[in-house]
Amino acid sequence: MYNNKLIGALVAGALLGSASALARVNDGAVVSNTCNGCHGTNGASVGAAPVIGGLPEAYLASTMASYKDGTRFATVMGRVARGYDQGQFLDMARFFAAQPWVSSNVKGDAKLVEKGKQLHAASGCAGCHGANGIAAVPTFPRIAGQAADYLYFQMQDYRDPKKAIPPAAMPMRGMLSPLSDDDVRALAAFYASAK
Amino acid sequence: MSTIRRRDFVKLAGAATALGAAGFPMLSLGAATARVVVVGGGFAGAIAAKYTKLYAPEAEVTLIEKDKEYISCPFSNEVLSGERDIKSLTFNYSALGKRGVKVVNDEVVELDPAKKTLKTRGGKTFQADFLVVAPGIAFQWGAIPGYDEAASEKMPHAWKAGPQTLLLKKQIAAMKDGDVAIIAAPANPFRCPPGPYERAAQIAHYLKHHGKAKSKVLILDAKDKFSKQGLFMAGWKHNYGDMIEWKSGAEGGKVEAVDPKTMTVTTEFEEYKAAVVNVIPPQKVGPIAEKAGLTDAKGWCPIESASFESKKAKGVYVIGDACVAGAMPKSAYAANTQAKVAAANIAAAILGTKLPKPAYTNTCYSLIAPDYGISVAGVYTIGAEGTIVEVQGAGGVSAADLSIEGRKREAVYGISWYKNITRDTFG
């Protein structure tokens, strides 16, 4: 004969298990987890590739779409993005937006960071990206704690008229074009170390 | 558990599936006690253990791996050039242990795929409900006459990283200016298709920067073409001039015999003597997969494309270099995404939820020089014939006209790839 308490626990466990599994084991999670080899588990990159866990959902989806249609220059992401459809982009965007942001935790050279801080104050970056690289509205991606190399490469592309950038990022071209290569390095170092 | 009668289980299952779950295969065992055993702790096995635990924390996940530490093949070519030391390639399983994976340091010597039972060299036995087999590759000793395990002590393969890598490095360091290093590259399929060609570059990098610029690296190949070929050849030229020469199979590159005593390599038309001979021998599956009867006529493990479940045994999943995964190469990244597909399928079966749609990719960087990287990417799906095929229009190699600054950027992202994939696997 059976034990009612045990069955109760089992039913609860099974229901709970199924409910959380529905949240975990689904097509969106499975397609998103293919990104982790380059972007880190849950999108928390520990290298030069950008942290994507915790970025705004709309920004992630539109970024993937612009890689796919070639309106954003990439070394590898264009080749990857062309393998997916809009629905999968939305799944990935939802998955990674739901992850906690984990800063890349790189300590930049103190002098370079200080120079970057001054440029940040002088260049008006805060207008969109917030006082410390964290925007007040999710239209703009968080850049505080982002990978320094990625920020540097990205800003180089924004400055380079030969590189494709999405229309939404066009203001970046104008803002960054007066800056030197060293200035861009300094800005990247500042934002990477910002919290 | 045993006090519950079968018809009560059916009721329970009904309650659980009311949430939209597809079935209840593991409910009769109870989700809390589902036993998943993973054999092999490389880029495939470690990920399978970690992600099964992430997807189904209720499962009991055991990883059986014979070595306490894992030395990665990816980036081991950089040890040859001196750009990296072997310590930076060495990982352990303590983080997986902290994630709740039971790590057993032992070697599986018997595996019954029907009963899902295992025995280890240390005399332990295991019973699994789901079995993941990730044994990687072994070498076909003797396939090249003269090349057996003893020969590899004079002509290292260095195709499993560790002492062999250090032996090859030592031999390269002892080369005199003008000496030749031969790399014998195998026919397909083999682990890490771009590996021999990246290795040629890393050896040339060492020679060029250590007063041996008159030396050469000669690749004797069984094949007529190879991975990222155009990019490699342009990159070799750009970085090392004429230091690297490639002889295709059609040009008589196929190595037919070696003699380690005289350091001689024989091909169809010629005999070569060289200071260093790196033989990358033909490969086969790790022996446990063959012994367990999980292989096909060609010697590799056939799998269901959607789940990586073995075509030879239900509830047994074969991932990584050992399996036949259609268009996917035998690479660490392919293994990583295959393992996640298997883990998601196992978790879904344990929890009685809908089986997920598979998703698999490959991204693989090769460093031709510290500031010169190239890459290949692939996104895969199940084709009309049920095999894994590349999504048309996606993937491929780095742009041929990428600037030097772009190649540098790919080198930076290549190193980043390594940090993240090893953290994803062992962290």
Side-chain angles (χ1 to χ4, degrees):
Chain A
M1 294 280 79
Y2 58 82
N3 173 330
N4 274 323
K5 250 188 192 167
L6 182 59
I7 289 217
L10 247 166
V11 171
L15 286 168
L16 203 75
S18 293
S20 55
L22 284 173
R24 288 193 307 266
V25 192
N26 55 50
D27 295 354
V30 170
V31 76
S32 300
N33 281 329
T34 65
C35 308
N36 300 356
C38 289
H39 288 282
T41 308
N42 297 330
S45 172
V46 291
V51 175
I52 56 173
L55 284 178
E57 190 173 329
Y59 171 78
L60 285 167
S62 74
T63 300
M64 287 299 287
S66 58
Y67 280 136
K68 181 173 178 169
D69 67 21
T71 52
R72 176 162 167 160
F73 174 80
T75 51
V76 70
M77 280 307 298
R79 289 176 271 156
V80 175
R82 286 195 295 276
Y84 301 101
D85 59 30
Q86 190 60 29
Q88 287 170 308
F89 290 161
L90 293 173
D91 278 347
M92 292 172 185
R94 200 172 303 126
F95 179 88
F96 285 111
Q99 306 301 325
W101 174 272
V102 182
S103 287
S104 67
N105 201 23
V106 177
K107 270 196 193 143
D109 172 80
K111 267 190 193 163
L112 204 59
V113 170
E114 183 52 36
K115 183 183 173 185
K117 192 176 182 180
Q118 286 165 18
L119 282 164
H120 159 78
S123 303
C125 309
C128 293
H129 288 286
N132 219 11
I134 303 173
V137 288
T139 318
F140 306 103
R142 173 177 177 146
I143 50 175
Q146 184 54 280
D149 283 321
Y150 163 75
L151 290 173
Y152 171 72
F153 293 147
Q154 206 51 54
M155 285 191 275
Q156 290 291 52
D157 290 352
Y158 289 146
R159 273 156 30 98
D160 182 351
K162 291 196 290 287
K163 297 262 169 69
I165 59 171
M170 266 305 169
M172 292 288 291
R173 183 151 281 169
M175 295 195 69
L176 291 169
S177 59
L179 302 185
S180 72
D181 201 48
D182 287 347
D183 290 343
V184 173
R185 275 271 178 226
L187 271 176
F190 166 68
Y191 289 121
S193 65
K195 292 194 169 73
Chain B
M1 278 299 314
S2 57
T3 56
I4 306 169
R5 292 170 306 179
R6 178 162 171 79
R7 69 163 188 266
D8 299 315
F9 266 123
V10 176
K11 277 188 221 157
L12 282 176
T17 52
L19 275 170
F24 47 96
M26 281 310 296
L27 221 67
S28 56
L29 274 162
T33 58
R35 294 158 297 183
V36 182
V37 178
V38 181
V39 181
F43 282 97
I47 280 286
K50 173 174 167 177
Y51 277 76
T52 301
K53 201 71 191 164
L54 286 175
Y55 280 131
E58 301 86 344
E60 180 188 303
V61 180
T62 304
L63 175 68
I64 309 177
E65 160 58 44
K66 72 175 161 55
D67 295 320
K68 284 193 172 149
E69 288 185 327
Y70 184 82
I71 304 175
S72 91
C73 286
F75 278 72
S76 65
N77 285 330
E78 281 216 297
V79 173
L80 304 177
S81 61
E83 292 293 328
R84 189 176 272 275
D85 62 24
I86 207 116
K87 212 178 151 208
S88 73
L89 308 176
T90 307
F91 300 88
N92 65 44
Y93 300 95
S94 61
L96 289 186
K98 287 192 191 111
R99 287 181 177 275
V101 174
K102 289 186 181 175
V103 181
V104 176
N105 184 218
D106 206 339
E107 185 181 2
V108 174
V109 289
E110 272 178 50
L111 188 163
D112 183 332
K115 292 186 187 147
K116 300 189 188 65
T117 53
L118 304 109
K119 270 188 198 158
T120 66
R121 195 170 293 286
K124 293 195 191 84
T125 58
F126 294 87
Q127 172 71 59
D129 302 307
F130 296 89
L131 202 48
V132 181
V133 183
I137 54 143
F139 299 116
Q140 293 189 34
W141 300 119
I144 297 172
Y147 198 71
D148 55 15
E149 195 163 4
S152 74
E153 293 303 315
K154 265 203 97 181
M155 296 177 161
H157 55 76
W159 217 240
K160 286 190 179 180
Q164 278 276 308
T165 313
L166 295 173
L167 175 62
L168 182 57
K169 178 185 166 64
K170 202 172 134 194
Q171 291 182 347
I172 292 160
M175 282 171 70
K176 294 187 194 75
D177 193 15
D179 279 354
V180 173
I182 286 177
I183 298 173
N188 294 320
F190 66 101
R191 164 179 281 180
C192 189
Y197 315 98
E198 182 194 55
R199 174 168 290 179
Q202 289 292 329
I203 293 173
H205 178 68
Y206 176 85
L207 296 171
K208 183 182 167 181
H209 294 285
H210 290 81
K212 296 164 192 180
K214 288 204 280 282
S215 285
K216 277 197 185 306
V217 183
L218 172 62
I219 305 168
L220 296 174
D221 210 326
K223 301 179 293 300
D224 291 335
K225 55 181 184 179
F226 61 87
S227 172
K228 310 179 202 169
Q229 185 168 345
L231 292 173
F232 268 117
M233 291 185 136
W236 291 341
K237 189 94 190 154
H238 176 83
N239 290 285
Y240 310 111
D242 294 324
M243 286 181 79
I244 300 170
E245 187 190 341
W246 175 68
K247 231 179 207 336
S248 70
E251 295 166 321
K254 185 174 189 284
V255 171
E256 303 202 318
V258 297
D259 183 354
K261 277 197 199 83
T262 56
M263 292 298 280
T264 309
V265 177
T266 309
T267 62
E268 193 182 354
F269 309 120
E270 278 177 82
E271 246 186 39
Y272 300 87
K273 274 186 195 291
V276 175
V277 179
N278 165 219
V279 180
I280 303 164
Q283 293 149 34
K284 59 180 184 177
V285 291
I288 191 68
E290 193 178 4
K291 195 177 170 192
L294 296 170
T295 51
D296 64 12
K298 286 183 180 163
W300 301 95
C301 299
I303 47 92
E304 302 293 345
S305 299
S307 63
F308 288 84
E309 188 171 22
S310 168
K311 285 192 172 172
K312 302 276 182 176
K314 286 272 163 216
V316 178
Y317 298 74
V318 188
I319 52 173
D321 292 348
C323 76
V324 185
M328 296 185 84
K330 296 192 187 304
S331 73
Y333 208 109
N336 173 290
T337 61
Q338 292 166 5
K340 288 169 183 172
V341 168
N345 272 273
I346 291 167
I350 289 171
L351 297 155
T353 59
K354 188 170 148 279
L355 295 180
K357 185 172 182 275
Y360 3 59
T361 57
N362 177 52
T363 307
C364 163
Y365 286 89
S366 301
L367 292 188
I368 292 178
D371 57 356
Y372 194 107
I374 58 174
S375 66
V376 63
V379 182
Y380 301 87
T381 188
I382 299 175
E385 286 167 26
T387 56
I388 298 172
V389 297
E390 273 206 69
V391 175
Q392 289 301 308
V397 299
S398 314
D401 61 355
L402 196 64
S403 64
I404 290 303
E405 189 276 332
R407 302 276 183 239
K408 187 173 182 175
R409 196 183 287 197
E410 286 225 284
V412 171
Y413 280 138
I415 292 162
S416 172
W417 173 99
Y418 188 67
K419 284 183 187 163
N420 278 314
I421 197 168
T422 52
R423 179 72 76 92
D424 195 29
T425 309
F426 301 104

